[in-house]
Amino acid sequence: MISSHKTKYSADSIETRPGHGTVFACATYQLDSSTEHREGNVSLLRHDKESCNILEETVLETGGVLDLWWQNGEVIFAAKASGTLQKVNVTEDGCLDSVTEVPVSDSILLTVDGTSDFIISSDTAGNIYKVSSDSLSVSETMSSVHGRGGWGSEVWGLAAHKTTPHLVYSGGDDCLLRCHDWRTCSPVFTSKHHSMGVCCISPDPCSDHLFISGSYDEKVVLWDSRTIRSPVSECRVGGGVWRVKRDHTNGHLLIAGMHSGFHVLDLASFQVSKTYSEHESLAYGADWLVGGVVATCSFYDNLVTVWDSGVIACTSDVTDVL
C-alpha cells in the first residue's frame, strides 16, 4: 500500500478524472437504518506523489450514489439511490458544483455510462434509460430488459458501445448478458454463459469488437461481439466480479473481486499477475491512475487505498495477441 484514506460513508465507486492521472472521484452509499435515508457523497481525491498521501480536494453531499461516470474532465454524472442522475461540474478552483438533477426512475439507479451526446443508466426494476446531454431529460427507455415473467431484475452492468452509439451492453441479476439496439429497443444478442448475475461490462478501448464481462459466478470473460456464442478467454478470480477496468497503455485489467480482493490480470495470458488483499471489506471500486498505480475502495470499512499494480505502461496493443 502506498497510502490510504477513510470516507465518511461506505465507498462503492472510483473513477479517475480524464486528463488528470492522479485525481479521482469516489462515491459513497450508506443506508441509515433508523431513518431509512440513503446517505452518501461524491469526493474528489488526489494522490500526492511527493507526500504519498491521498488528499481530499473537495466533497459534495449528494445522498447515496451507486456509480459515477466522467463525461469529460470537467463534468461527472452520479447514479443515485433516489432514482435521479446528478450532474456535477468541477469548477476552476477544483470544487464540485451540483448543476442539476435529472429525474430518471422511481427505483434505485445502479449504473451510469455514456458518450458525448447522451448518458445511459439502469435501475433495480430492469430498465435502461437514455438521457440527452443537451436537454438533460430522458429521451428513450427500454423497459424490463432483464427479468422473467414480466418482473424486472436489477441491471448491474451497463456500457455504451463507444463507436456504434445505437448499441448498448447490459448485464442483469437474471444471469443474462445482452446487447441492445436503441433504434428498435430490442436485443441484438443474448448470452447465457454466466451462471450467476452479471455485475459489470467493460468495452475494450483498443477494439470495436472486444468487451469484458464480470459476474457473481467469479469469472472474468473476454468476448468478441462478432462471435458471441463462445468467449475468447475467461479466468476465475473468486469472490464475485464487481468491476473491471482496462488501461490501454499497459495491457492489463484491474478487477474488483468483492470477497477476494483486487486483482491485476495480464490480458495476453488472461491470468492474474497480482492480488491485493489489504482491504477488509467488499472490494467494489477500482481504477487506474498514472504509472501503473491504482486506486481502490471497499464498502463496509469505508476505505480508499492507492497501491502499485506492478505493471508499467507499454506502447504495444494487447489486442494484437488476443
Side-chain angles (χ1 to χ4, degrees):
M1 183 194 303
I2 296 176
S3 53
S4 64
H5 170 79
K6 283 285 190 174
T7 56
K8 180 179 179 181
Y9 305 113
S10 300
D12 57 18
S13 180
I14 282 180
E15 294 289 330
T16 300
R17 184 181 182 185
H20 300 76
T22 61
V23 178
F24 56 96
C26 177
T28 64
Y29 167 93
Q30 189 165 313
L31 178 65
D32 186 328
S33 58
S34 62
T35 64
E36 296 298 314
H37 183 66
R38 294 178 172 92
E39 308 280 2
N41 58 34
V42 176
S43 58
L44 203 59
L45 305 174
R46 178 170 60 89
H47 173 230
D48 185 77
K49 293 182 178 180
E50 293 186 3
S51 66
C52 292
N53 291 325
I54 298 174
L55 306 179
E56 189 175 77
E57 303 281 275
T58 182
V59 180
L60 179 67
E61 296 297 327
T62 56
V65 174
L66 286 92
D67 197 20
L68 297 171
W69 174 67
W70 289 94
Q71 190 171 48
N72 53 53
E74 310 302 325
V75 177
I76 192 168
F77 282 89
K80 297 179 59 176
S82 61
T84 62
L85 279 176
Q86 187 161 351
K87 181 181 180 182
V88 179
N89 283 353
V90 181
T91 63
E92 290 184 1
D93 57 355
C95 292
L96 295 177
D97 178 34
S98 178
V99 177
T100 188
E101 288 198 44
V102 183
V104 175
S105 172
D106 293 331
S107 302
I108 295 173
L109 291 185
L110 300 174
T111 65
V112 59
D113 194 32
T115 70
S116 58
D117 297 321
F118 60 84
I119 306 100
I120 57 174
S121 187
S122 62
D123 65 14
T124 55
N127 306 313
I128 299 175
Y129 306 90
K130 180 190 281 188
V131 174
S132 168
S133 292
D134 295 329
S135 64
L136 288 180
S137 60
V138 176
S139 58
E140 295 182 68
T141 301
M142 282 191 265
S143 301
S144 300
V145 297
H146 287 274
R148 295 182 175 90
W151 293 94
S153 67
E154 291 92 340
V155 185
W156 294 112
L158 190 69
H161 195 293
K162 302 307 179 186
T163 59
T164 311
H166 59 266
L167 298 180
V168 56
Y169 298 110
S170 69
D173 209 45
D174 56 2
C175 311
L176 298 182
L177 170 66
R178 285 183 154 169
C179 179
H180 314 265
D181 192 326
W182 280 111
R183 298 171 300 182
T184 60
C185 290
S186 60
V188 177
F189 65 73
T190 298
S191 170
K192 299 180 180 180
H193 180 78
H194 285 291
S195 60
M196 298 181 73
V198 179
C199 304
C200 57
I201 301 166
S202 179
D204 192 303
C206 300
S207 168
D208 289 344
H209 306 291
L210 297 178
F211 68 97
I212 291 169
S213 63
S215 167
Y216 284 121
D217 66 11
E218 305 184 348
K219 293 179 182 177
V220 177
V221 182
L222 175 66
W223 299 92
D224 187 323
S225 60
R226 299 166 296 183
T227 55
I228 200 64
R229 289 188 177 182
S230 59
V232 178
S233 298
E234 63 180 72
C235 178
R236 186 182 293 275
V237 300
V241 179
W242 188 252
R243 283 290 180 269
V244 292
K245 291 290 182 67
R246 162 78 193 276
D247 186 335
H248 69 279
T249 66
N250 65 32
H252 287 73
L253 193 70
L254 180 60
I255 302 163
M258 283 195 278
H259 299 284
S260 65
F262 296 91
H263 311 277
V264 179
L265 183 143
D266 186 333
L267 283 167
S269 64
F270 221 75
Q271 296 295 317
V272 172
S273 60
K274 181 171 182 174
T275 295
Y276 182 80
S277 305
E278 295 299 316
H279 289 261
E280 297 180 354
S281 181
L282 293 171
Y284 270 173
D287 208 352
W288 296 91
L289 303 181
V290 293
V293 174
V294 299
T296 54
C297 70
S298 48
F299 198 64
Y300 294 113
D301 57 356
N302 300 22
L303 183 63
V304 176
T305 65
V306 169
W307 48 278
D308 190 345
S309 70
V311 300
I312 58 175
C314 62
T315 56
S316 61
D317 187 351
V318 73
T319 55
D320 293 337
V321 297
L322 292 178

